[in-house]
Amino acid sequence: MNIGEIAKRAGVSRSTVSYALSGKRPVSEDTRRKIQQVVDELGYRPSASARALANGRTSTIGLVFPPAGNHYTGMQLDFIGSVVEAAAAYDYDVLLSPSGVDSDRSFQRLLGERRVDGAILMEIRLEDDRADHLAALDFPAVAIGRTAHPETGWWVGLDHTALAAACVHHLADLGHRRVAFVNRPEQLLRAGYESAHRGLDGFTKAAAERGLTVRTYCCGDDAASGQACLEQILRDDPDTTALVTLNEAALGGLYRGLARAGRHVPRDFSITGVVASRWAETVTPQLTAADVPAEELGRRAVELLVERLDQPGAPARHHLLTPPISLRASTGPATGSPQP
């Protein structure tokens, strides 16, 4: 069923039907009522493309979210779900674009064909060509994460520097002196992923401040890599008594490696890090961690984007979140250290 059939049955022109449905021009009440009666009888619903042509909006948000490796991690899927749920509350659909750079064809189609009203960018890099490209086009976008120059952008993010430092101070307060850092995969660090770089920076500076002996490791986003990384940590320094991790996908493997090495958590070895709460609570013992508020980050990103769409020209806004460490059961005093 289309506008032409409605016009024929209502005895009016196609343009009159279009004006009545869009409200762009006034139509007499009698004519509007006659058209509405036909619409109701036929159960007509204008297509999304027709609505977009009529009002210049697609009612769709683009989520530009490349998988960091060869698959999405649990935390990444949490972010996708949070954006979809928050967008639905504003009556927006979400189109996922797994694009990594501004030359990516999916990313270009998203922009060039105007498939979306605005975009949310994830997996942010310190130097991010996607963000630069969107800013140059003045295309409405919000990032989950910060580039190296976040002052003028719209974004929400976690303060990975402060959170990694808080984990170090927590372990140091428990008497740990030899601590490892388990980061994201090496290719992400080379590519400039901001969470990996800022987390490493926070860990390194806090460890120096507390006079700790530390080693840092990159680890693949999977359990097998986590186990291999833990085994390498103990080979490099068997006296290591604790670690901080940003890699929730490797968490199960880190625990398995400790169990196979005969290290009891937290009696012999403590683990903490920056991990979404539902993943921190799936391991045994549950992980003491700075909980990543994926739902809040997704919701705030959508809110900022809707604000930007509704108020073109509004000054840029952002939110930087620093959640506290949730004390669970994976950290304890270093062996030989007195109870605090």
Side-chain angles (χ1 to χ4, degrees), residues 243-301:
L243 68 80
V244 175
T245 185
L246 301 183
N247 195 325
E248 49 92 11
L251 195 57
L254 295 172
Y255 269 69
R256 188 164 66 222
L258 286 168
R260 292 193 175 184
R263 301 288 184 100
H264 180 275
V265 178
R267 186 186 62 219
D268 307 317
F269 201 100
S270 290
I271 304 182
T272 185
V274 184
V275 176
S277 60
R278 80 179 185 94
W279 299 101
E281 292 168 356
T282 60
V283 291
T284 303
Q286 293 186 355
L287 187 74
T288 291
D291 296 337
V292 176
E295 182 178 349
E296 182 180 3
L297 285 165
R299 175 178 54 79
R300 288 192 181 224

Side-chain angles (χ1 to χ4, degrees), residues 57 59-61 92 114 116-119 139-141 154 302-313:
R57 289 283 189 94
S59 296
T60 303
I61 289 172
Y92 275 93
R114 198 70 184 191
V116 297
D117 298 326
F139 189 87
W154 291 74
V302 171
E303 288 172 352
L304 284 183
L305 183 56
V306 171
E307 177 183 334
R308 188 170 187 186
L309 291 170
D310 290 344
Q311 302 176 38

Side-chain angles (χ1 to χ4, degrees), residues 66-185:
N70 57 8
H71 65 281
Y72 288 110
T73 68
M75 188 183 294
Q76 290 166 334
L77 292 173
D78 284 346
F79 276 118
I80 293 172
S82 72
V83 169
V84 171
E85 184 175 345
Y90 288 95
D91 203 24
Y92 275 93
D93 296 324
V94 176
L95 178 63
L96 181 63
S97 175
S99 306
V101 295
D102 67 8
S103 61
D104 187 287
R105 287 188 297 175
S106 173
F107 186 66
Q108 291 299 324
R109 285 196 301 270
L110 201 70
L111 304 179
E113 298 177 14
R114 198 70 184 191
R115 294 185 175 186
V116 297
D117 298 326
I120 293 174
L121 301 180
M122 297 204 62
E123 298 293 353
I124 297 297
R125 305 177 185 193
L126 293 174
E127 302 295 334
D128 200 303
D129 47 11
R130 301 167 305 162
D132 294 340
H133 189 60
L134 290 173
L137 294 175
D138 197 26
F139 189 87
V142 172
I144 299 183
R146 294 175 291 158
T147 66
H149 307 286
E151 299 83 8
T152 59
W154 291 74
W155 53 268
V156 297
L158 280 182
D159 192 342
H160 285 90
T161 305
L163 295 179
C167 290
V168 171
H169 290 302
H170 172 64
L171 293 173
D173 289 343
L174 289 170
H176 294 278
R177 309 302 302 166
R178 308 180 82 85
V179 180
F181 181 66
V182 178
N183 207 336
R184 301 291 302 284

